[in-house]
Amino acid sequence: VGKATAKFLVTIIRAIKPAERLEIGCCIGFSSILMASLKDPRCHITTIDRYPIMIREAKANFKKFGLEDKITLLEGDAGKILPDMDRKFDFIFLDAAKGQYLHFLPHCIRMLNTGGVLLADDAMQNGYVAMDRYSVPRRHRTTHRRMREFIYAVTHARGLESCIIPCDNGLVMCTKTIDKVEINISGFD
């Protein structure tokens, strides 16, 4: 995460004080460590990553900071792990493969407690999301389309209050306001 996003993450965590936190896309563990180091004794973080080199680095970093008891790292593809998870979370930080956000969304909504917050990083895709499809370099067009569909889905869902935050590469923040959120992802392939 960028510097401004890290500050925003700390600010929102301190404001809402979520006990159970899920991070999708651990990388080397920076965000998990940041969330776990805020001295909340109730806090527990579950994080997911699939890349062995990142997993090794994250585990070493958790140990280095003495946070192994506050962070659980699930190893594997989030697309395969999320459907089988039956836990509830107060806060979900989505920072994985950007083209998969819409696939992960129904699982995030299902696992998010009412009143909980979903925060999705890198939503503006270096400004590409605001551009016309044909202005986006060809290699980024699929991610561009999928991110636009994700943003549309969360900003038009019944039961989510959502906003786009122009911080670093863009954040989308959603609060779940009712138990049964209605999202439309029918146009997604």
Side-chain angles (χ1 to χ4, degrees):
V1 297
K3 190 181 244 185
T5 298
K7 286 182 179 185
F8 184 83
L9 185 59
V10 167
T11 302
I12 195 70
I13 293 290
R14 284 192 170 143
I16 64 174
K17 298 176 179 45
E20 292 294 324
R21 305 165 193 180
L22 173 64
E23 176 185 45
I24 304 168
C26 179
C27 196
I28 63 169
F30 176 79
S31 302
S32 296
I33 291 167
L34 190 63
M35 288 189 282
S37 64
L38 295 177
K39 309 290 188 234
D40 183 348
R42 303 172 311 127
C43 158
H44 185 267
I45 297 159
T46 302
T47 187
I48 303 170
D49 209 286
R50 67 180 181 167
Y51 295 108
I53 193 164
M54 299 298 182
I55 291 167
R56 280 192 304 275
E57 288 288 322
K59 285 181 176 180
N61 287 331
F62 300 157
K63 185 174 184 169
K64 177 181 175 182
F65 287 90
L67 295 169
E68 306 101 32
D69 61 328
K70 289 197 143 298
I71 303 170
T72 301
L73 176 57
L74 303 178
E75 300 177 30
D77 187 319
K80 294 178 180 164
I81 293 173
L82 292 172
D84 295 327
M85 289 181 73
D86 62 357
R87 296 191 44 216
K88 289 289 198 174
F89 297 92
D90 306 305
F91 181 81
I92 299 175
F93 184 51
L94 183 54
D95 192 18
K98 309 315 170 210
Q100 299 305 310
Y101 279 20
L102 196 58
H103 284 302
F104 298 158
L105 182 61
H107 303 295
C108 291
I109 298 304
R110 173 181 52 81
M111 293 185 296
L112 191 63
N113 284 321
T114 301
V117 171
L118 168 65
L119 186 66
D121 196 16
D122 299 319
M124 297 313 293
Q125 290 292 287
N126 297 315
Y128 291 147
V129 169
M131 300 168 100
D132 174 79
R133 178 179 191 266
Y134 298 103
S135 301
V136 175
R138 185 176 298 275
R139 69 182 180 279
H140 296 289
R141 287 184 185 165
T142 299
T143 302
H144 167 267
R145 178 180 53 82
R146 289 179 177 177
M147 187 57 76
R148 286 176 66 121
E149 289 174 340
F150 170 79
I151 292 170
Y152 184 87
V154 298
T155 57
H156 290 82
R158 183 181 167 275
L160 289 181
E161 290 292 330
S162 304
C163 65
I164 298 170
I165 302 163
C167 182
D168 287 330
N169 203 12
L171 296 166
V172 173
M173 188 169 96
C174 311
T175 302
K176 185 176 178 180
T177 60
I178 59 176
D179 287 336
K180 186 152 176 62
V181 173
E182 295 175 22
I183 54 174
N184 182 359
I185 57 172
S186 62
F188 190 66
D189 58 356

